[in-house]
PDB file of all heavy atoms in Angstrom:
ATOM      1  N   ILE P 330      15.802  -8.087 -12.589  1.00  0.00           N
ATOM      2  CA  ILE P 330      14.904  -8.955 -13.348  1.00  0.00           C
ATOM      3  C   ILE P 330      13.518  -8.332 -13.247  1.00  0.00           C
ATOM      4  O   ILE P 330      12.838  -8.440 -12.228  1.00  0.00           O
ATOM      5  CB  ILE P 330      14.942 -10.400 -12.807  1.00  0.00           C
ATOM      6  CG1 ILE P 330      16.392 -10.913 -12.745  1.00  0.00           C
ATOM      7  CG2 ILE P 330      14.058 -11.309 -13.654  1.00  0.00           C
ATOM      8  CD1 ILE P 330      17.146 -10.853 -14.076  1.00  0.00           C
ATOM      9  N   THR P 331      13.132  -7.643 -14.314  1.00  0.00           N
ATOM     10  CA  THR P 331      12.001  -6.723 -14.284  1.00  0.00           C
ATOM     11  C   THR P 331      10.927  -7.124 -15.281  1.00  0.00           C
ATOM     12  O   THR P 331      11.137  -7.033 -16.488  1.00  0.00           O
ATOM     13  CB  THR P 331      12.491  -5.299 -14.643  1.00  0.00           C
ATOM     14  OG1 THR P 331      13.618  -4.973 -13.828  1.00  0.00           O
ATOM     15  CG2 THR P 331      11.396  -4.277 -14.455  1.00  0.00           C
ATOM     16  N   PRO P 332       9.763  -7.549 -14.784  1.00  0.00           N
ATOM     17  CA  PRO P 332       8.678  -7.805 -15.727  1.00  0.00           C
ATOM     18  C   PRO P 332       8.223  -6.493 -16.375  1.00  0.00           C
ATOM     19  O   PRO P 332       8.124  -5.463 -15.703  1.00  0.00           O
ATOM     20  CB  PRO P 332       7.572  -8.412 -14.872  1.00  0.00           C
ATOM     21  CG  PRO P 332       8.009  -8.326 -13.463  1.00  0.00           C
ATOM     22  CD  PRO P 332       9.406  -7.824 -13.414  1.00  0.00           C
ATOM     23  N   ARG P 333       7.980  -6.545 -17.648  1.00  0.00           N
ATOM     24  CA  ARG P 333       7.571  -5.357 -18.396  1.00  0.00           C
ATOM     25  C   ARG P 333       6.327  -4.719 -17.771  1.00  0.00           C
ATOM     26  O   ARG P 333       6.187  -3.495 -17.730  1.00  0.00           O
ATOM     27  CB  ARG P 333       7.322  -5.731 -19.857  1.00  0.00           C
ATOM     28  CG  ARG P 333       7.119  -4.540 -20.771  1.00  0.00           C
ATOM     29  CD  ARG P 333       7.191  -4.926 -22.247  1.00  0.00           C
ATOM     30  NE  ARG P 333       8.575  -5.250 -22.602  1.00  0.00           N
ATOM     31  CZ  ARG P 333       9.009  -6.474 -22.937  1.00  0.00           C
ATOM     32  NH1 ARG P 333       8.177  -7.484 -22.974  1.00  0.00           N
ATOM     33  NH2 ARG P 333      10.267  -6.686 -23.246  1.00  0.00           N
ATOM     34  N   VAL P 334       5.421  -5.554 -17.258  1.00  0.00           N
ATOM     35  CA  VAL P 334       4.195  -5.034 -16.661  1.00  0.00           C
ATOM     36  C   VAL P 334       4.498  -4.129 -15.466  1.00  0.00           C
ATOM     37  O   VAL P 334       3.767  -3.166 -15.220  1.00  0.00           O
ATOM     38  CB  VAL P 334       3.223  -6.183 -16.289  1.00  0.00           C
ATOM     39  CG1 VAL P 334       3.758  -7.019 -15.132  1.00  0.00           C
ATOM     40  CG2 VAL P 334       1.841  -5.645 -15.972  1.00  0.00           C
ATOM     41  N   LEU P 335       5.559  -4.403 -14.731  1.00  0.00           N
ATOM     42  CA  LEU P 335       5.936  -3.529 -13.615  1.00  0.00           C
ATOM     43  C   LEU P 335       6.224  -2.121 -14.125  1.00  0.00           C
ATOM     44  O   LEU P 335       5.748  -1.133 -13.555  1.00  0.00           O
ATOM     45  CB  LEU P 335       7.155  -4.080 -12.873  1.00  0.00           C
ATOM     46  CG  LEU P 335       7.784  -3.158 -11.824  1.00  0.00           C
ATOM     47  CD1 LEU P 335       6.808  -2.842 -10.712  1.00  0.00           C
ATOM     48  CD2 LEU P 335       9.059  -3.773 -11.269  1.00  0.00           C
ATOM     49  N   LEU P 336       6.988  -2.028 -15.183  1.00  0.00           N
ATOM     50  CA  LEU P 336       7.325  -0.711 -15.738  1.00  0.00           C
ATOM     51  C   LEU P 336       6.073   0.008 -16.218  1.00  0.00           C
ATOM     52  O   LEU P 336       5.914   1.218 -16.013  1.00  0.00           O
ATOM     53  CB  LEU P 336       8.337  -0.874 -16.873  1.00  0.00           C
ATOM     54  CG  LEU P 336       9.641  -1.560 -16.481  1.00  0.00           C
ATOM     55  CD1 LEU P 336      10.509  -1.816 -17.714  1.00  0.00           C
ATOM     56  CD2 LEU P 336      10.387  -0.762 -15.443  1.00  0.00           C
ATOM     57  N   ASP P 337       5.165  -0.748 -16.850  1.00  0.00           N
ATOM     58  CA  ASP P 337       3.914  -0.153 -17.326  1.00  0.00           C
ATOM     59  C   ASP P 337       3.059   0.343 -16.166  1.00  0.00           C
ATOM     60  O   ASP P 337       2.521   1.461 -16.209  1.00  0.00           O
ATOM     61  CB  ASP P 337       3.116  -1.168 -18.152  1.00  0.00           C
ATOM     62  CG  ASP P 337       3.804  -1.544 -19.450  1.00  0.00           C
ATOM     63  OD1 ASP P 337       4.697  -0.786 -19.907  1.00  0.00           O
ATOM     64  OD2 ASP P 337       3.469  -2.607 -20.008  1.00  0.00           O
ATOM     65  N   LEU P 338       2.938  -0.468 -15.113  1.00  0.00           N
ATOM     66  CA  LEU P 338       2.083  -0.093 -13.982  1.00  0.00           C
ATOM     67  C   LEU P 338       2.649   1.076 -13.191  1.00  0.00           C
ATOM     68  O   LEU P 338       1.907   1.960 -12.756  1.00  0.00           O
ATOM     69  CB  LEU P 338       1.865  -1.299 -13.074  1.00  0.00           C
ATOM     70  CG  LEU P 338       1.001  -2.420 -13.645  1.00  0.00           C
ATOM     71  CD1 LEU P 338       1.055  -3.649 -12.753  1.00  0.00           C
ATOM     72  CD2 LEU P 338      -0.437  -1.947 -13.862  1.00  0.00           C
ATOM     73  N   ILE P 339       3.950   1.096 -12.993  1.00  0.00           N
ATOM     74  CA  ILE P 339       4.560   2.216 -12.266  1.00  0.00           C
ATOM     75  C   ILE P 339       4.453   3.512 -13.067  1.00  0.00           C
ATOM     76  O   ILE P 339       4.344   4.589 -12.508  1.00  0.00           O
ATOM     77  CB  ILE P 339       6.025   1.894 -11.898  1.00  0.00           C
ATOM     78  CG1 ILE P 339       6.036   0.853 -10.789  1.00  0.00           C
ATOM     79  CG2 ILE P 339       6.788   3.137 -11.479  1.00  0.00           C
ATOM     80  CD1 ILE P 339       7.401   0.374 -10.382  1.00  0.00           C
ATOM     81  N   GLY P 340       4.433   3.385 -14.385  1.00  0.00           N
ATOM     82  CA  GLY P 340       4.301   4.557 -15.243  1.00  0.00           C
ATOM     83  C   GLY P 340       2.863   4.958 -15.533  1.00  0.00           C
ATOM     84  O   GLY P 340       2.620   5.893 -16.295  1.00  0.00           O
ATOM     85  N   ASP P 341       1.911   4.263 -14.942  1.00  0.00           N
ATOM     86  CA  ASP P 341       0.498   4.549 -15.182  1.00  0.00           C
ATOM     87  C   ASP P 341       0.170   5.983 -14.768  1.00  0.00           C
ATOM     88  O   ASP P 341       0.696   6.486 -13.774  1.00  0.00           O
ATOM     89  CB  ASP P 341      -0.367   3.555 -14.393  1.00  0.00           C
ATOM     90  CG  ASP P 341      -1.801   3.544 -14.888  1.00  0.00           C
ATOM     91  OD1 ASP P 341      -2.535   4.520 -14.598  1.00  0.00           O
ATOM     92  OD2 ASP P 341      -2.182   2.564 -15.549  1.00  0.00           O
ATOM     93  N   ARG P 342      -0.713   6.628 -15.503  1.00  0.00           N
ATOM     94  CA  ARG P 342      -1.106   8.012 -15.190  1.00  0.00           C
ATOM     95  C   ARG P 342      -1.929   8.109 -13.909  1.00  0.00           C
ATOM     96  O   ARG P 342      -1.996   9.172 -13.293  1.00  0.00           O
ATOM     97  CB  ARG P 342      -1.897   8.603 -16.351  1.00  0.00           C
ATOM     98  CG  ARG P 342      -1.048   8.847 -17.561  1.00  0.00           C
ATOM     99  CD  ARG P 342      -1.854   9.447 -18.661  1.00  0.00           C
ATOM    100  NE  ARG P 342      -1.024   9.554 -19.860  1.00  0.00           N
ATOM    101  CZ  ARG P 342      -1.328  10.289 -20.883  1.00  0.00           C
ATOM    102  NH1 ARG P 342      -2.434  11.002 -20.892  1.00  0.00           N
ATOM    103  NH2 ARG P 342      -0.527  10.332 -21.927  1.00  0.00           N
ATOM    104  N   ASP P 343      -2.552   7.010 -13.528  1.00  0.00           N
ATOM    105  CA  ASP P 343      -3.310   6.965 -12.276  1.00  0.00           C
ATOM    106  C   ASP P 343      -2.292   6.843 -11.143  1.00  0.00           C
ATOM    107  O   ASP P 343      -1.747   5.771 -10.892  1.00  0.00           O
ATOM    108  CB  ASP P 343      -4.265   5.772 -12.309  1.00  0.00           C
ATOM    109  CG  ASP P 343      -5.099   5.625 -11.046  1.00  0.00           C
ATOM    110  OD1 ASP P 343      -4.690   6.160  -9.983  1.00  0.00           O
ATOM    111  OD2 ASP P 343      -6.136   4.949 -11.109  1.00  0.00           O
ATOM    112  N   ARG P 344      -2.001   7.958 -10.464  1.00  0.00           N
ATOM    113  CA  ARG P 344      -0.946   7.984  -9.442  1.00  0.00           C
ATOM    114  C   ARG P 344      -1.265   7.069  -8.264  1.00  0.00           C
ATOM    115  O   ARG P 344      -0.368   6.477  -7.667  1.00  0.00           O
ATOM    116  CB  ARG P 344      -0.709   9.413  -8.941  1.00  0.00           C
ATOM    117  CG  ARG P 344      -0.110  10.365  -9.949  1.00  0.00           C
ATOM    118  CD  ARG P 344       1.152   9.887 -10.654  1.00  0.00           C
ATOM    119  NE  ARG P 344       2.144   9.292  -9.773  1.00  0.00           N
ATOM    120  CZ  ARG P 344       3.095   8.449 -10.160  1.00  0.00           C
ATOM    121  NH1 ARG P 344       3.201   8.094 -11.419  1.00  0.00           N
ATOM    122  NH2 ARG P 344       3.951   7.966  -9.302  1.00  0.00           N
ATOM    123  N   ALA P 345      -2.521   6.922  -7.919  1.00  0.00           N
ATOM    124  CA  ALA P 345      -2.886   6.044  -6.803  1.00  0.00           C
ATOM    125  C   ALA P 345      -2.548   4.592  -7.171  1.00  0.00           C
ATOM    126  O   ALA P 345      -1.994   3.850  -6.350  1.00  0.00           O
ATOM    127  CB  ALA P 345      -4.361   6.188  -6.454  1.00  0.00           C
ATOM    128  N   LYS P 346      -2.878   4.197  -8.394  1.00  0.00           N
ATOM    129  CA  LYS P 346      -2.553   2.844  -8.857  1.00  0.00           C
ATOM    130  C   LYS P 346      -1.044   2.651  -8.882  1.00  0.00           C
ATOM    131  O   LYS P 346      -0.515   1.658  -8.381  1.00  0.00           O
ATOM    132  CB  LYS P 346      -3.126   2.612 -10.257  1.00  0.00           C
ATOM    133  CG  LYS P 346      -2.760   1.245 -10.823  1.00  0.00           C
ATOM    134  CD  LYS P 346      -3.015   1.105 -12.327  1.00  0.00           C
ATOM    135  CE  LYS P 346      -4.458   1.052 -12.650  1.00  0.00           C
ATOM    136  NZ  LYS P 346      -4.692   0.754 -14.095  1.00  0.00           N
ATOM    137  N   SER P 347      -0.340   3.604  -9.446  1.00  0.00           N
ATOM    138  CA  SER P 347       1.115   3.541  -9.524  1.00  0.00           C
ATOM    139  C   SER P 347       1.733   3.423  -8.129  1.00  0.00           C
ATOM    140  O   SER P 347       2.648   2.622  -7.910  1.00  0.00           O
ATOM    141  CB  SER P 347       1.650   4.782 -10.245  1.00  0.00           C
ATOM    142  OG  SER P 347       3.051   4.806 -10.220  1.00  0.00           O
ATOM    143  N   ASP P 348       1.218   4.210  -7.180  1.00  0.00           N
ATOM    144  CA  ASP P 348       1.739   4.173  -5.809  1.00  0.00           C
ATOM    145  C   ASP P 348       1.476   2.822  -5.145  1.00  0.00           C
ATOM    146  O   ASP P 348       2.323   2.310  -4.403  1.00  0.00           O
ATOM    147  CB  ASP P 348       1.132   5.300  -4.974  1.00  0.00           C
ATOM    148  CG  ASP P 348       1.693   6.672  -5.338  1.00  0.00           C
ATOM    149  OD1 ASP P 348       2.735   6.728  -6.038  1.00  0.00           O
ATOM    150  OD2 ASP P 348       1.082   7.675  -4.922  1.00  0.00           O
ATOM    151  N   ARG P 349       0.293   2.223  -5.376  1.00  0.00           N
ATOM    152  CA  ARG P 349      -0.005   0.904  -4.809  1.00  0.00           C
ATOM    153  C   ARG P 349       0.950  -0.158  -5.364  1.00  0.00           C
ATOM    154  O   ARG P 349       1.454  -1.008  -4.627  1.00  0.00           O
ATOM    155  CB  ARG P 349      -1.459   0.507  -5.095  1.00  0.00           C
ATOM    156  CG  ARG P 349      -2.487   1.284  -4.307  1.00  0.00           C
ATOM    157  CD  ARG P 349      -3.874   0.683  -4.436  1.00  0.00           C
ATOM    158  NE  ARG P 349      -4.338   0.489  -5.804  1.00  0.00           N
ATOM    159  CZ  ARG P 349      -5.004   1.389  -6.520  1.00  0.00           C
ATOM    160  NH1 ARG P 349      -5.281   2.594  -5.994  1.00  0.00           N
ATOM    161  NH2 ARG P 349      -5.407   1.118  -7.742  1.00  0.00           N
ATOM    162  N   VAL P 350       1.219  -0.072  -6.649  1.00  0.00           N
ATOM    163  CA  VAL P 350       2.130  -1.029  -7.285  1.00  0.00           C
ATOM    164  C   VAL P 350       3.545  -0.834  -6.742  1.00  0.00           C
ATOM    165  O   VAL P 350       4.233  -1.809  -6.415  1.00  0.00           O
ATOM    166  CB  VAL P 350       2.094  -0.884  -8.824  1.00  0.00           C
ATOM    167  CG1 VAL P 350       3.206  -1.696  -9.478  1.00  0.00           C
ATOM    168  CG2 VAL P 350       0.727  -1.300  -9.362  1.00  0.00           C
ATOM    169  N   MET P 351       3.983   0.413  -6.612  1.00  0.00           N
ATOM    170  CA  MET P 351       5.315   0.687  -6.072  1.00  0.00           C
ATOM    171  C   MET P 351       5.430   0.156  -4.650  1.00  0.00           C
ATOM    172  O   MET P 351       6.432  -0.481  -4.293  1.00  0.00           O
ATOM    173  CB  MET P 351       5.610   2.181  -6.111  1.00  0.00           C
ATOM    174  CG  MET P 351       6.962   2.548  -5.518  1.00  0.00           C
ATOM    175  SD  MET P 351       8.362   1.879  -6.441  1.00  0.00           S
ATOM    176  CE  MET P 351       8.458   3.070  -7.754  1.00  0.00           C
ATOM    177  N   ALA P 352       4.426   0.392  -3.823  1.00  0.00           N
ATOM    178  CA  ALA P 352       4.453  -0.092  -2.445  1.00  0.00           C
ATOM    179  C   ALA P 352       4.536  -1.622  -2.411  1.00  0.00           C
ATOM    180  O   ALA P 352       5.283  -2.189  -1.606  1.00  0.00           O
ATOM    181  CB  ALA P 352       3.224   0.400  -1.693  1.00  0.00           C
ATOM    182  N   ALA P 353       3.817  -2.290  -3.278  1.00  0.00           N
ATOM    183  CA  ALA P 353       3.865  -3.755  -3.342  1.00  0.00           C
ATOM    184  C   ALA P 353       5.251  -4.226  -3.780  1.00  0.00           C
ATOM    185  O   ALA P 353       5.828  -5.143  -3.186  1.00  0.00           O
ATOM    186  CB  ALA P 353       2.791  -4.283  -4.290  1.00  0.00           C
ATOM    187  N   MET P 354       5.799  -3.603  -4.794  1.00  0.00           N
ATOM    188  CA  MET P 354       7.114  -3.978  -5.308  1.00  0.00           C
ATOM    189  C   MET P 354       8.203  -3.800  -4.252  1.00  0.00           C
ATOM    190  O   MET P 354       9.105  -4.621  -4.130  1.00  0.00           O
ATOM    191  CB  MET P 354       7.450  -3.149  -6.554  1.00  0.00           C
ATOM    192  CG  MET P 354       8.713  -3.552  -7.276  1.00  0.00           C
ATOM    193  SD  MET P 354      10.212  -2.639  -6.816  1.00  0.00           S
ATOM    194  CE  MET P 354       9.732  -0.955  -6.981  1.00  0.00           C
ATOM    195  N   LEU P 355       8.098  -2.760  -3.451  1.00  0.00           N
ATOM    196  CA  LEU P 355       9.106  -2.484  -2.435  1.00  0.00           C
ATOM    197  C   LEU P 355       9.156  -3.550  -1.342  1.00  0.00           C
ATOM    198  O   LEU P 355      10.141  -3.650  -0.617  1.00  0.00           O
ATOM    199  CB  LEU P 355       8.875  -1.098  -1.815  1.00  0.00           C
ATOM    200  CG  LEU P 355       9.197   0.083  -2.738  1.00  0.00           C
ATOM    201  CD1 LEU P 355       8.733   1.391  -2.109  1.00  0.00           C
ATOM    202  CD2 LEU P 355      10.669   0.124  -3.089  1.00  0.00           C
ATOM    203  N   ARG P 356       8.108  -4.358  -1.228  1.00  0.00           N
ATOM    204  CA  ARG P 356       8.080  -5.448  -0.247  1.00  0.00           C
ATOM    205  C   ARG P 356       8.603  -6.770  -0.826  1.00  0.00           C
ATOM    206  O   ARG P 356       8.683  -7.769  -0.118  1.00  0.00           O
ATOM    207  CB  ARG P 356       6.652  -5.646   0.270  1.00  0.00           C
ATOM    208  CG  ARG P 356       6.144  -4.485   1.106  1.00  0.00           C
ATOM    209  CD  ARG P 356       4.805  -4.795   1.748  1.00  0.00           C
ATOM    210  NE  ARG P 356       3.748  -5.075   0.784  1.00  0.00           N
ATOM    211  CZ  ARG P 356       2.913  -4.171   0.260  1.00  0.00           C
ATOM    212  NH1 ARG P 356       3.039  -2.899   0.596  1.00  0.00           N
ATOM    213  NH2 ARG P 356       1.971  -4.535  -0.572  1.00  0.00           N
ATOM    214  N   MET P 357       8.944  -6.793  -2.098  1.00  0.00           N
ATOM    215  CA  MET P 357       9.329  -8.033  -2.772  1.00  0.00           C
ATOM    216  C   MET P 357      10.839  -8.164  -2.904  1.00  0.00           C
ATOM    217  O   MET P 357      11.570  -7.189  -2.843  1.00  0.00           O
ATOM    218  CB  MET P 357       8.731  -8.069  -4.192  1.00  0.00           C
ATOM    219  CG  MET P 357       7.251  -8.069  -4.246  1.00  0.00           C
ATOM    220  SD  MET P 357       6.696  -8.075  -5.977  1.00  0.00           S
ATOM    221  CE  MET P 357       4.946  -7.801  -5.752  1.00  0.00           C
ATOM    222  N   GLN P 358      11.267  -9.388  -3.088  1.00  0.00           N
ATOM    223  CA  GLN P 358      12.596  -9.663  -3.613  1.00  0.00           C
ATOM    224  C   GLN P 358      12.373  -9.969  -5.089  1.00  0.00           C
ATOM    225  O   GLN P 358      12.371  -9.049  -5.894  1.00  0.00           O
ATOM    226  CB  GLN P 358      13.276 -10.795  -2.852  1.00  0.00           C
ATOM    227  CG  GLN P 358      13.753 -10.343  -1.482  1.00  0.00           C
ATOM    228  CD  GLN P 358      14.581 -11.380  -0.772  1.00  0.00           C
ATOM    229  OE1 GLN P 358      14.144 -12.485  -0.527  1.00  0.00           O
ATOM    230  NE2 GLN P 358      15.793 -10.996  -0.436  1.00  0.00           N
ATOM    231  N   LYS P 359      12.143 -11.233  -5.442  1.00  0.00           N
ATOM    232  CA  LYS P 359      11.767 -11.562  -6.819  1.00  0.00           C
ATOM    233  C   LYS P 359      10.384 -10.975  -7.061  1.00  0.00           C
ATOM    234  O   LYS P 359       9.504 -11.068  -6.217  1.00  0.00           O
ATOM    235  CB  LYS P 359      11.759 -13.079  -7.019  1.00  0.00           C
ATOM    236  CG  LYS P 359      11.340 -13.493  -8.411  1.00  0.00           C
ATOM    237  CD  LYS P 359      11.377 -14.991  -8.590  1.00  0.00           C
ATOM    238  CE  LYS P 359      10.290 -15.643  -7.801  1.00  0.00           C
ATOM    239  NZ  LYS P 359      10.171 -17.081  -8.044  1.00  0.00           N
ATOM    240  N   ILE P 360      10.187 -10.368  -8.204  1.00  0.00           N
ATOM    241  CA  ILE P 360       8.921  -9.719  -8.517  1.00  0.00           C
ATOM    242  C   ILE P 360       7.857 -10.768  -8.826  1.00  0.00           C
ATOM    243  O   ILE P 360       8.082 -11.685  -9.610  1.00  0.00           O
ATOM    244  CB  ILE P 360       9.080  -8.750  -9.713  1.00  0.00           C
ATOM    245  CG1 ILE P 360      10.128  -7.675  -9.410  1.00  0.00           C
ATOM    246  CG2 ILE P 360       7.741  -8.124 -10.093  1.00  0.00           C
ATOM    247  CD1 ILE P 360       9.841  -6.784  -8.228  1.00  0.00           C
ATOM    248  N   ASP P 361       6.697 -10.582  -8.204  1.00  0.00           N
ATOM    249  CA  ASP P 361       5.539 -11.453  -8.407  1.00  0.00           C
ATOM    250  C   ASP P 361       4.499 -10.651  -9.189  1.00  0.00           C
ATOM    251  O   ASP P 361       3.903  -9.711  -8.646  1.00  0.00           O
ATOM    252  CB  ASP P 361       4.991 -11.901  -7.053  1.00  0.00           C
ATOM    253  CG  ASP P 361       3.819 -12.843  -7.181  1.00  0.00           C
ATOM    254  OD1 ASP P 361       2.844 -12.522  -7.899  1.00  0.00           O
ATOM    255  OD2 ASP P 361       3.858 -13.908  -6.530  1.00  0.00           O
ATOM    256  N   ILE P 362       4.302 -11.011 -10.435  1.00  0.00           N
ATOM    257  CA  ILE P 362       3.421 -10.241 -11.321  1.00  0.00           C
ATOM    258  C   ILE P 362       1.988 -10.224 -10.798  1.00  0.00           C
ATOM    259  O   ILE P 362       1.329  -9.181 -10.823  1.00  0.00           O
ATOM    260  CB  ILE P 362       3.483 -10.779 -12.761  1.00  0.00           C
ATOM    261  CG1 ILE P 362       4.878 -10.500 -13.349  1.00  0.00           C
ATOM    262  CG2 ILE P 362       2.386 -10.158 -13.626  1.00  0.00           C
ATOM    263  CD1 ILE P 362       5.131 -11.131 -14.702  1.00  0.00           C
ATOM    264  N   GLN P 363       1.484 -11.358 -10.303  1.00  0.00           N
ATOM    265  CA  GLN P 363       0.103 -11.385  -9.812  1.00  0.00           C
ATOM    266  C   GLN P 363      -0.085 -10.419  -8.648  1.00  0.00           C
ATOM    267  O   GLN P 363      -1.093  -9.733  -8.573  1.00  0.00           O
ATOM    268  CB  GLN P 363      -0.306 -12.805  -9.410  1.00  0.00           C
ATOM    269  CG  GLN P 363      -1.783 -12.917  -9.075  1.00  0.00           C
ATOM    270  CD  GLN P 363      -2.679 -12.496 -10.246  1.00  0.00           C
ATOM    271  OE1 GLN P 363      -2.543 -13.018 -11.341  1.00  0.00           O
ATOM    272  NE2 GLN P 363      -3.573 -11.529 -10.018  1.00  0.00           N
TER     273      GLN P 363
END
């Protein structure tokens, strides 16, 4: 169950931003968009 924004953020060209989002997602079960 994947919010579209997750895919957009992980694919962001800013690798630092993408890495922060990936690290946050890896701590989740259900994805929290905020």
Side-chain angles (χ1 to χ4, degrees):
I330 307 304
T331 309
R333 190 167 289 113
V334 69
L335 171 62
L336 302 173
D337 294 341
L338 291 170
I339 288 176
D341 196 286
R342 290 181 185 196
D343 180 338
R344 292 309 315 158
K346 177 194 289 187
S347 174
D348 287 346
R349 288 191 306 271
V350 170
M351 178 65 81
M354 187 266 308
L355 289 171
R356 292 188 299 269
M357 297 179 189
Q358 285 187 301
K359 178 179 70 174
I360 301 299
D361 182 308
I362 292 173
Q363 188 59 54

